[in-house]
Amino acid sequence: MHRRVDTPTPAAALLAAGVAIALAGVARAEPAPPAAAAGRCAAHDELRRPLYGDFHVHTGWSMDAYTMDQRTTPDDAYRFASGGAIRIPPLDAKGEMTREIRIDRPLDFAAVTDHSEFFGEVAVCTRPGSEVYDSVYCRGFRGIGANGEPLDGIMSRSAALYGRTVADHMRMDKGQGHPDTICGEDGARCADAARTVWQETQAAADRWNDTTDACRFTTFKAYEYSLTPRLTKIHRNIVFANDVVPPTPISAADEPEPHRMRERLANECLDAGTGCRVVAIPHNSNLSNGHMFALDYPGASTVPEQAKQAALRARVERLVEIMQIKGDSECRNGMWKVAGGADELCDFEKFRVGDPPDCEDGTGEGALAGRGCRSRNDFVRYALAQGVAEQARLGVNPFKLGIIASTDTHNGNPGDVEESSFPGAAGMRDATPEGRLAGVKMELAISQVASNPGGLVGVWAEENSRESIFAALERRETFGTSGTRIAPRFFGAWATAEGGGGFGAGACESARPAATGYAKGVPMGRDLAPRPGDGAAPVFLVQAARDPGTPAKPGAKLQRIQIVKAWPGEGGVLHQRVVDVAGGPNDAAVDTASCATSGPGHDALCGTWRDDAFDPAQGAVYYARVVENPTCRYSTYECNALPAERRPPSCGDPAVPKTIQERAWTSPIWYEPAPRG
């Protein structure tokens, strides 16, 4: 039974205890905090506070979600995120959704990101009264074959829109376009419907955005750009700051080149002179067959031309989604030309089954179907390091990426990430425990049990408003979590060879470590200030408060905080170093039969670390990773709740982890050497 909360409590209030723990200590005189933006919310913190949300949410208005029997709307999604109950599949005989769910803790903010590619097609095929509603193509999309037989599966029903076979549809490449079968040869029918759907999506966001000084819940206008050539994921979520948005979303069906998509966002939003602001957020790089972070500059053969494209990418794509239901995209052990040894925590929530070949310096296709090679360019850590190399080559870093996470739910239930009560995220496909525990199934080689509940966006913002949250996105003062509500902070500064400067030994005992961090250094998402002199080395202050959880289910204790350093080397080799800076490995354990936890842990952790291996001639990137003690994975809760005779093979499969270590990743801090000469 999915846990229900009859009286929702704002997420920020539940975090108060955890944040207070992190900031506790001996009071000392502190430097003045940064100037705070003028605010309209009653709750306004000049030192900023952690807010949690979800920027990757699909409803029944997305093509794939509809084929999973999902009938939720953007209004349903925002109702759920702010604490209300909604219904999700399976459907009853009347086509009504039957399972009622409610989030365990409301979110602070959310954005519905339905797939823009089929806004119009879904509308004309599912809304009675359309000219093509009763066509064989729309009937096929709704699951009714040409002879009245049922059609099941995403690929079968989406192929029906085009009048294609499934085999032909799975070979679709860039430029697939809109189906003229229902859109007409000029595409006008679907284009008109798409504009209507986009307007309705915006209206839903406005209805749920709290503009009173209570600021209980914030929404953003958004959609997903879903480029999937030959079943390779090269997707972005497009999130706008305010009410000023382009009249039509940019879809991969209309603009199948990511560089052109970025150019259009610049022309139609950022440079339009209208006050439009936007970020594009790559996601599921782990399923991109090396494409997401490949160093491709279409049509640019000279360094100045490439630098121009790199600058555009850095301007538009300021964030990356590191974790979601289709797995973790931070890092992977054993990748081509990655030095520094194995990182034991890189094995976390890996989605692709089997052992695909390494792409090395090439690319492949078909990852969404479990095919093709896997590349270091599929993972955020190595993209960050490669971006440092491009900074040295071009003078611009195309991968200047802050870090977030989200869910990618297709159930219209943003932020529904609690492992012990996960209701699934894929409509009828995982509407039962057996469905959530299934292995490879249906037309795509996707293992349902390899999925997970997904993650959350974290921001440090003065208040819960569109302006304050979006400003945090723009300056990259963000973090991602695997679903937990850890509150991590990360600052960088310089320390002299004699130990002067920096944060000092007492930074963690301060009553306001963040004030010290802002006054003496830079927060996550920024470059270190210019090096102050010979002998100076970077020093970092990192702190985190545990997730307080709920009265019914308190959050887990923290185990450790690590700092990850990455940098490029000779011959295209990328280097990594992982250092424990607070806490460390311990004897904490979990009984997988009962999911009871035991052993030591921390309510809060804080530490400083000086990079004594620092090379002033070498650019580098640093970020923090905060790790909880082990707890039961969602699949373990599911297996334990089933009678032995109903447990599927995955319950006894040693390849399916019984436990997880939930975590948070901060946005990076970069070091750029001074120009030579």
Side-chain angles (χ1 to χ4, degrees):
M1 178 68 70
H2 194 67
R3 184 166 64 251
R4 299 177 58 180
V5 180
D6 294 326
T7 306
T9 304
L14 287 170
L15 280 161
V19 174
I21 291 169
L23 301 181
V26 179
R28 298 177 179 221
E30 294 288 353
R40 63 168 175 82
C41 300
H44 187 93
D45 190 336
E46 61 185 8
L47 283 178
R48 300 171 184 149
R49 61 194 181 104
L51 301 172
Y52 298 84
D54 193 346
F55 278 161
H56 199 167
V57 181
H58 296 280
T59 75
W61 292 8
S62 283
M63 178 275 294
D64 51 355
Y66 186 90
T67 67
M68 300 172 192
D69 289 347
Q70 186 52 257
R71 302 294 182 264
T72 51
T73 68
D75 280 298
D76 291 326
Y78 292 130
R79 179 180 299 108
F80 181 87
S82 54
I86 65 170
R87 291 183 179 273
I88 60 174
L91 305 179
D92 63 17
K94 295 180 179 179
E96 301 291 334
M97 295 181 290
T98 57
R99 279 191 297 160
E100 183 174 288
I101 60 171
R102 192 189 298 263
I103 197 169
D104 62 333
R105 287 179 282 179
L107 297 177
D108 296 304
F109 60 91
V112 170
T113 54
D114 281 315
H115 296 291
S116 62
E117 285 66 32
F118 294 97
F119 268 6
E121 287 85 335
V122 173
V124 300
C125 281
T126 62
R127 299 182 181 187
S130 154
E131 295 176 75
V132 293
Y133 180 82
D134 290 321
S135 69
V136 65
Y137 310 105
C138 283
R139 284 168 57 83
F141 177 69
R142 296 198 304 274
I144 306 167
N147 299 312
E149 75 280 10
L151 289 182
D152 190 22
I154 297 170
M155 298 306 294
S156 297
R157 292 168 68 173
S158 60
L161 287 174
Y162 293 85
R164 294 174 180 160
T165 66
V166 170
D168 286 342
H169 196 55
M170 290 183 75
R171 288 191 290 268
M172 61 187 178
D173 204 343
K174 292 182 179 180
Q176 60 179 297
H178 298 282
D180 58 13
T181 53
I182 60 171
C183 299
E185 290 186 5
D186 62 358
R189 181 181 296 114
C190 293
D192 290 345
R195 280 189 288 272
T196 298
V197 172
W198 179 223
Q199 291 165 1
E200 293 171 348
T201 299
Q202 296 176 61
D206 285 337
R207 279 191 290 274
W208 290 90
N209 188 48
D210 183 0
T211 58
T212 71
D213 64 2
C215 297
R216 293 185 179 89
F217 183 59
T218 299
T219 64
F220 292 88
K221 299 176 180 184
Y223 62 85
E224 181 173 327
Y225 169 90
S226 310
L227 179 64
T228 318
R230 299 182 185 273
L231 296 176
T232 293
K233 293 199 73 172
I234 316 175
H235 296 192
R236 276 89 170 166
N237 288 320
I238 314 297
V239 182
F240 296 91
N242 49 44
D243 289 334
V244 184
V245 302
T248 303
I250 302 169
S251 80
D254 300 308
E255 197 58 78
E257 292 290 343
H259 174 61
R260 299 302 179 194
M261 176 271 292
R262 291 189 287 268
E263 284 185 334
R264 285 188 57 184
L265 283 175
N267 293 335
E268 298 171 26
C269 179
L270 296 174
D271 297 330
T274 59
C276 182
R277 293 151 65 196
V278 66
V279 292
I281 307 170
H283 63 263
N284 270 136
S285 59
N286 61 326
L287 298 177
S288 78
N289 296 109
H291 289 276
M292 185 66 81
F293 300 122
L295 294 176
D296 51 355
Y297 300 100
S301 57
T302 67
V303 166
E305 290 171 336
Q306 292 175 5
K308 183 178 179 180
Q309 287 195 21
L312 174 66
R313 183 165 190 167
R315 183 185 181 203
V316 175
E317 295 183 6
R318 303 181 68 82
L319 304 167
V320 63
E321 183 182 289
I322 201 169
M323 170 80 181
Q324 58 128 269
I325 62 171
K326 295 185 186 73
D328 162 82
S329 297
E330 180 195 3
C331 53
R332 186 143 195 160
N333 288 317
M335 300 307 300
W336 177 73
K337 285 194 173 182
V338 173
D343 176 353
E344 61 176 317
L345 295 182
C346 278
D347 294 331
F348 179 69
E349 290 296 335
K350 291 295 171 277
F351 184 74
R352 287 196 66 180
V353 296
D355 188 22
D358 197 307
C359 302
E360 297 190 354
D361 58 353
T363 57
E365 60 185 43
L368 191 57
R371 300 196 302 260
C373 58
R374 181 171 56 212
S375 169
R376 71 183 191 181
N377 291 336
D378 294 339
F379 298 97
V380 173
R381 179 183 296 175
Y382 315 125
L384 293 171
Q386 191 64 59
V388 172
E390 288 296 272
Q391 175 76 52
R393 186 178 76 88
L394 300 175
V396 180
N397 184 344
F399 305 136
K400 204 69 171 290
L401 297 165
I403 290 176
I404 67 163
S406 282
T407 62
D408 191 16
T409 178
H410 283 61
N411 269 354
N413 54 334
D416 203 358
V417 292
E418 170 53 49
E419 302 278 336
S420 64
S421 58
F422 178 50
M428 58 82 181
R429 287 179 57 183
D430 61 0
T432 64
E434 291 87 349
R436 294 187 286 279
L437 295 169
V440 175
K441 58 183 292 186
M442 302 181 69
E443 295 159 303
L444 302 183
I446 294 174
S447 171
Q448 207 66 42
V449 75
S451 301
N452 68 87
L456 296 175
V457 185
V459 302
W460 286 95
E462 291 86 1
E463 62 182 26
N464 189 3
S465 65
R466 282 181 178 173
E467 176 58 35
S468 188
I469 293 170
F470 201 84
L473 303 182
E474 290 178 317
R475 65 176 181 267
R476 307 183 189 92
E477 198 168 355
T478 63
F479 57 97
T481 85
S482 60
T484 179
R485 299 197 187 188
I486 296 170
R489 303 199 90 154
F490 186 46
F491 298 92
W494 292 99
T496 66
E498 295 76 25
F503 300 115
C508 285
E509 287 71 47
S510 166
R512 299 193 299 170
T516 301
Y518 284 121
K520 294 188 175 183
V522 296
M524 62 179 97
R526 300 275 297 276
D527 287 356
L528 285 168
R531 190 174 183 227
D534 292 345
V539 62
F540 299 93
L541 168 65
V542 58
Q543 61 175 137
R546 66 179 282 197
D547 180 352
T550 66
K553 189 170 180 57
K557 297 275 190 177
L558 301 181
Q559 184 191 76
R560 54 180 142 168
I561 298 178
Q562 301 175 311
I563 290 178
V564 178
K565 177 184 179 182
W567 68 99
E570 297 295 327
V573 174
L574 304 179
H575 296 263
Q576 60 185 5
R577 181 185 179 193
V578 182
V579 181
D580 287 345
V581 297
N586 59 23
D587 295 327
V590 54
D591 178 356
T592 57
S594 66
C595 290
T597 58
S598 61
H602 306 272
D603 292 323
L605 286 169
C606 183
T608 59
W609 176 70
R610 175 186 169 120
D611 183 5
D612 289 322
F614 171 68
D615 177 358
Q618 176 60 65
V621 59
Y622 305 81
Y623 65 92
R625 183 170 63 188
V626 185
V627 185
E628 290 182 355
N629 281 341
T631 53
C632 274
R633 191 175 188 265
Y634 91 88
S635 50
T636 303
Y637 284 106
E638 295 275 20
C639 291
N640 289 349
L642 288 173
E645 64 274 12
R646 284 183 55 194
R647 293 175 185 171
S650 63
C651 288
D653 187 342
V656 178
K658 295 287 188 183
T659 65
I660 57 169
Q661 284 190 269
E662 301 271 22
R663 60 199 61 193
W665 304 264
T666 72
S667 286
I669 293 173
W670 288 266
Y671 165 68
E672 180 184 345
R676 295 177 181 175

